[in-house]
Amino acid sequence: MRQTEFMGVHTCMPGLIKNWEEYKVHFEQYPLVYANDGHLPPFIVSCGSRTRVAGFSELLDNFCQIDKVLLEAGKPIGRVAVAVGTYKGTPIAVFEHQMGCPATEINFREISSPYVVKHVNYVNVDCTNITTDAVYSIRVGTCGGMNLWENENPEGYRPVDLAHIVVSTHHVGVNGTLIQSATGHLDLMSPTTLEVLKTRLRELGYDMSKPMPVLYDDNVIVDSFRAVANEEYTHFLGYFSKDSLYAELEEEAFVDLRRDYDCACSEMEAAMIAYQSLCRRNTELPVVFSAVCAVIGTVPGSSFSDDPATLSLASNRACVTGLDALNHLQINKF
């Protein structure tokens, strides 16, 4: 199977495109969907829940939640929320990748495929056409921020705090989904599996000089983040995508990640999209990826904030910064 293909159907998009002639009557009032025969634009935001997807309606113009329109029409809606709109004139799709790397791999691979995305002559609301050389994707989410112990204060160190945001510059380590996807092996503890994995990661360009592999996000999206981000609350540091939420109960390992790998964001999805972007590098539709996550808790310390004002501020900063980066990219590159 080619890297741009996907297994099964898990979102509403393949069905919408396949049955466009039947379904298009329901989208006549939504120009981004109607003018592009149901296809998505090449600028994509992914997030963890359908609640967050719906929340983008407050930030995007010409907003259409595609699965909701299909639901009201009595058509299949798939497992996840998918929407489209414009931000300062840039057409942007937003979809729910759900929680964890397994769901993220499945949903992102489908949504970002050439079957779903239209990257040549995508028709914007002003009837201009946009053509790109890739899918440009950002994960917007929440994370646990990683700091050093209070008695540590090396030169240049800046702790992350609640409602700060972290933009990915690199991804540290691997997870179970990535190992199985990269090797095709089911026994994660087999020495053969680990050797095959190391070979595969080297071929893809991971830095294997440290105990854990590192993948760097050195791309135009990160450049756009640097152009638009507010320095007061934005950090450009590493991400660690864990399989278990409860791993954060063991604080020592996360402090070591900050100290040894300049890693400040603990979340559960970004590494899988970063890996897929590498696998798509030489395909007919590459993927360029970065992430921005809002800090809603810190390690060491209290894991999560339950203050609504703090959570709202953090989420808004991540969403707006991500949208501003994609808008900056579209204006300056395409």
Side-chain angles (χ1 to χ4, degrees):
M1 176 178 285
R2 294 181 303 163
Q3 290 293 336
T4 52
E5 296 177 330
F6 53 91
M7 296 175 63
V9 174
H10 304 87
T11 77
C12 62
M13 295 308 301
L16 171 64
I17 294 165
K18 180 180 179 180
N19 299 291
W20 178 246
E21 288 303 313
E22 177 188 349
Y23 291 2
K24 67 181 182 180
V25 64
H26 305 294
F27 293 92
E28 290 178 348
Q29 62 180 308
Y30 301 108
L32 287 175
V33 183
Y34 195 79
N36 294 288
D37 298 339
H39 291 84
L40 296 180
F43 304 102
I44 299 177
V45 170
S46 61
C47 50
S49 72
R50 61 179 53 248
T51 301
R52 190 179 296 277
V53 172
F56 273 90
S57 65
E58 299 179 7
L59 299 172
L60 299 177
D61 299 318
N62 306 291
F63 185 82
C64 173
Q65 187 165 332
I66 295 172
D67 61 292
K68 186 176 180 180
V69 174
L70 291 172
L71 178 64
E72 292 173 351
K75 306 301 182 184
I77 64 170
R79 300 169 183 262
V80 305
V82 184
V84 67
T86 57
Y87 182 77
K88 300 180 180 178
T90 299
I92 293 174
V94 184
F95 84 99
E96 169 198 3
H97 57 52
Q98 302 183 313
M99 287 188 67
C101 285
T104 299
E105 179 187 35
I106 293 168
N107 293 319
F108 184 84
R109 186 156 173 162
E110 183 174 317
I111 285 289
S112 65
S113 73
Y115 186 75
V116 173
V117 172
K118 182 180 179 182
H119 75 289
V120 176
N121 292 328
Y122 182 88
V123 183
N124 205 351
V125 290
D126 60 0
C127 295
T128 59
N129 292 340
I130 296 174
T131 295
T132 67
D133 55 358
V135 171
Y136 291 86
S137 181
I138 290 173
R139 164 166 148 68
V140 173
T142 57
C143 71
M146 289 182 266
N147 290 319
L148 301 177
W149 301 113
E150 287 188 359
N151 61 351
E152 296 183 75
N153 189 28
E155 183 178 355
Y157 169 68
R158 178 182 166 217
V160 297
D161 203 352
L162 293 178
H164 284 192
I165 60 175
V166 182
V167 174
S168 64
T169 55
H170 54 285
H171 304 270
V172 177
V174 294
N175 53 72
T177 306
L178 194 156
I179 294 172
Q180 290 185 338
S181 183
T183 66
H185 293 198
L186 302 183
D187 183 358
L188 302 187
M189 298 182 67
S190 164
T192 302
T193 298
L194 295 180
E195 286 306 311
V196 172
L197 176 66
K198 290 176 182 178
T199 299
R200 176 63 172 155
L201 296 184
R202 287 192 189 96
E203 291 173 349
L204 287 171
Y206 281 74
D207 181 353
M208 304 294 287
S209 63
K210 291 187 175 183
M212 285 195 286
V214 180
L215 171 61
Y216 291 96
D217 282 344
D218 183 14
N219 60 52
V220 293
I221 300 181
V222 178
D223 294 341
S224 289
F225 269 123
R226 293 190 187 279
V228 303
N230 185 314
E231 295 181 359
E232 179 182 349
Y233 54 74
T234 304
H235 303 256
F236 289 83
L237 292 165
Y239 274 44
F240 182 82
S241 298
K242 57 191 181 293
D243 280 325
S244 171
L245 176 65
Y246 298 95
E248 288 184 4
L249 298 175
E250 302 296 329
E251 294 183 335
E252 182 78 41
F254 290 92
V255 175
D256 290 345
L257 279 169
R258 181 64 192 264
R259 183 188 305 110
D260 299 336
Y261 290 89
D262 211 15
C263 198
C265 175
S266 166
E267 49 83 71
M268 301 183 69
E269 293 88 14
M272 204 61 227
I273 305 179
Y275 168 75
Q276 286 192 46
S277 72
L278 269 189
C279 294
R280 293 269 294 270
R281 185 169 45 193
N282 296 316
T283 66
E284 69 269 33
L285 185 58
V287 172
V288 181
F289 172 73
S290 185
V292 56
C293 282
V295 178
I296 60 171
T298 56
V299 177
S302 59
S303 183
F304 291 100
S305 170
D306 58 3
D307 175 51
T310 300
L311 295 176
S312 177
L313 175 63
S315 177
N316 183 261
R317 283 174 170 175
C319 291
V320 170
T321 304
L323 292 173
D324 278 336
L326 286 179
N327 172 249
H328 179 275
L329 174 69
Q330 190 256 314
I331 290 174
N332 288 279
K333 186 173 174 63
F334 304 106

